[in-house]
Amino acid sequence: MAATVIKNVRVILEDRVINGGAAVENGIISRIFEGNPDFSAEIVIDGGGLYLSPGFIDTHCHGAGGCDYMDGTVMAMETAARTQLAFGATSVVPTALSGTTEQILKFIKNFQVLKSNMRNGPRMPGVHLEGPYFSAAQCGAQDPELIRAPRPEEYKKIIDEAHGEICLWSAAPELEGAMEFGRYCARNHIICSVGHSDAQWSHMETAWMNGFSRVTHLYSACSTVRRIGGYRYLGVVESAFLLKNMIVEIIADGCHIPPELIRMVYENKGADRIVLVTDSMRAAGTDAKTSVLGSLSEGQEVIIEDGVAKMADRKAFAGSVATCDRLVRTARKCGIPLCEAVKMASLTPAYSIGISSATGSIAVGKYADLILFDDEIHVKWCMVGGKTIRH
């Protein structure tokens, strides 16, 4: 692979921005420099003063470009992944909604085929199963007829046939059998995330000790403090704050939770414990006004307005239409420093799924998964593993 130098850029490091550039050899970042030294390289890219950033990593996304990861075809998966890459996601973790065992296994099989054959696309470190082990009281846009308690014979079969491709599995820890599920996932190197849950503090504390280390889209489809018999009980939200090391996802599209709440989560958890996610559905990256949540054949009709997907009755959101660049743009509008906003979309997601030693920041020895964007966080160029994918 040709040696490449990217110069005349503002390099976003973990804790500061420098004026300079980076050198890439054999798909790996080999040098980071300040100023404009004279390098000899086969390819020289002049960034024209743009920001050089680590590529974004989306660990919770259902689709984009008019396709959903559960449409049932490899081509649909590929279209969604390539659309996300165009907006800066150099690593993507396709996410499944609740489904039957057969639907989930088909989703995983299609992913395995795509991962083996993908060329000039984003990295695909694994999949995220969002469901089906959820609370009926917090089903949100998930199909209530498909949610259920964990079944050992089911999840063991899914894990066995996934052959290590499951990164994340979201579930409600208050369900019967959830702790056994969490421990089994941990033994199989799968990170459990509290999602679509009506849990109280007692459930959350126990879950933390049984493999649940994360919260799926904080504030969306999860419990908050409530009164029972006059007494107040903590919900998922307050428990996530109290469990200091628990990582939380937030859908930073500016719609699912308001800017003030994004800022509050940031002030309490910090950039090292927040993962920005799109939770994108198929309309992300398109100009569609109507769409379908989930598979085309069995999904739910939704409308797109005000920059978000809504259920047909407009009483609830139905996933976002955000791309990763929008997440960082929103975080900046909330007053979060650029390095911290980028970290929440790159290094922290990488850390949360165990790949931060290889990607997620601009550092010597890491993959050259890089993007260039302007002051408004509009992505102009992408590189994955040292190969320019988008000019």
Side-chain angles (χ1 to χ4, degrees):
M1 184 177 291
T4 303
V5 168
I6 307 157
K7 67 176 186 177
N8 189 23
V9 291
R10 291 171 283 175
V11 185
I12 301 175
L13 303 176
E14 289 184 40
D15 57 353
R16 67 191 189 282
V17 177
I18 63 171
N19 293 313
V24 174
E25 295 183 47
N26 299 315
I28 302 296
I29 299 169
S30 59
R31 183 174 179 180
I32 301 164
F33 57 86
E34 293 190 70
N36 190 26
D38 185 20
F39 285 117
S40 60
E42 295 173 66
I43 300 173
V44 178
I45 297 170
D46 188 329
L50 295 170
Y51 284 104
L52 181 68
S53 169
F56 304 136
I57 299 173
D58 196 354
T59 58
H60 186 161
C61 46
H62 296 280
C67 295
D68 188 280
Y69 288 115
M70 290 191 78
D71 276 347
T73 70
V74 175
M75 184 177 294
M77 275 193 161
E78 183 174 6
T79 297
R82 290 190 188 282
T83 301
Q84 290 190 268
L85 175 61
F87 292 92
T90 56
S91 291
V92 171
V93 179
T95 305
L97 287 167
S98 296
T100 64
T101 304
E102 293 72 26
Q103 288 170 331
I104 293 170
L105 289 175
K106 185 173 184 179
F107 161 82
I108 292 171
K109 180 176 177 57
N110 285 338
F111 171 81
Q112 291 166 334
V113 172
L114 177 59
K115 185 174 180 178
S116 298
N117 294 282
M118 173 74 82
R119 299 291 181 270
N120 299 325
R123 294 187 190 278
M124 306 187 82
V127 299
H128 175 182
L129 303 184
E130 190 188 8
Y133 310 136
F134 286 154
S135 163
Q138 296 286 352
C139 62
Q142 299 267 345
D143 187 342
E145 293 185 3
L146 292 172
I147 62 176
R148 51 197 181 269
R151 304 169 181 168
E153 68 280 6
E154 179 181 55
Y155 62 71
K156 289 179 180 180
K157 175 181 175 65
I158 291 170
I159 291 172
D160 183 58
E161 294 194 23
H163 300 294
E165 297 288 12
I166 303 172
C167 287
L168 294 166
W169 201 327
S170 295
E174 71 274 20
L175 300 179
E176 183 178 355
M179 294 304 100
E180 292 83 356
F181 167 73
R183 292 192 296 271
Y184 191 81
C185 283
R187 290 197 296 273
N188 285 275
H189 311 290
I190 297 168
I191 298 152
C192 278
S193 185
V194 176
H196 291 264
S197 168
D198 212 32
Q200 298 176 20
W201 164 253
S202 59
H203 304 122
M204 291 291 288
E205 185 180 33
T206 304
W208 174 253
M209 296 183 288
N210 284 274
F212 288 80
S213 60
R214 178 177 173 129
V215 173
T216 300
H217 46 49
L218 189 72
Y219 285 102
S220 296
C222 59
S223 58
T224 186
V225 67
R226 77 196 90 171
R227 293 186 71 173
I228 302 174
Y231 295 92
R232 289 180 175 84
Y233 292 82
L234 275 63
V236 170
V237 171
E238 297 78 22
S239 300
F241 287 129
L242 200 54
L243 293 164
K244 297 295 185 183
N245 290 322
M246 181 166 269
I247 288 173
V248 299
E249 295 178 1
I250 54 173
I251 306 170
D253 62 353
C255 299
H256 278 74
I257 57 176
E260 299 82 7
L261 210 50
I262 292 174
R263 181 75 193 193
M264 191 189 82
V265 176
Y266 169 72
E267 294 291 348
N268 280 272
K269 297 297 288 187
D272 292 334
R273 293 292 180 269
I274 297 171
V275 173
L276 302 184
V277 299
T278 62
D279 193 15
S280 61
M281 46 84 71
R282 70 175 66 250
T286 76
D287 296 323
K289 301 303 179 186
T290 60
S291 191
V292 176
L293 179 68
S295 69
L296 285 174
S297 60
E298 300 178 25
Q300 303 176 71
E301 291 188 7
V302 300
I303 58 174
I304 314 299
E305 61 182 14
D306 305 321
V308 69
K310 300 176 183 178
M311 302 300 287
D313 60 6
R314 292 183 171 84
K315 292 182 178 179
F317 292 153
S320 89
V321 294
T323 47
C324 283
D325 56 328
R326 178 173 164 185
L327 307 180
V328 176
R329 203 153 46 241
T330 301
R332 292 289 293 123
K333 290 177 181 177
C334 295
I336 297 171
L338 180 61
C339 288
E340 299 275 86
V342 168
K343 178 184 284 188
M344 295 189 295
S346 55
L347 185 59
T348 306
Y351 170 78
S352 77
I353 58 172
I355 60 173
S356 59
S357 63
T359 190
S361 62
I362 298 179
V364 173
K366 288 195 175 185
Y367 293 138
D369 298 344
L370 305 168
I371 60 176
L372 290 172
F373 59 68
D374 63 18
D375 291 328
E376 285 73 44
I377 328 293
H378 295 128
V379 176
K380 306 296 184 180
W381 172 90
C382 297
M383 169 181 277
V384 179
K387 184 175 183 179
T388 296
I389 304 298
R390 176 191 171 195
H391 296 277

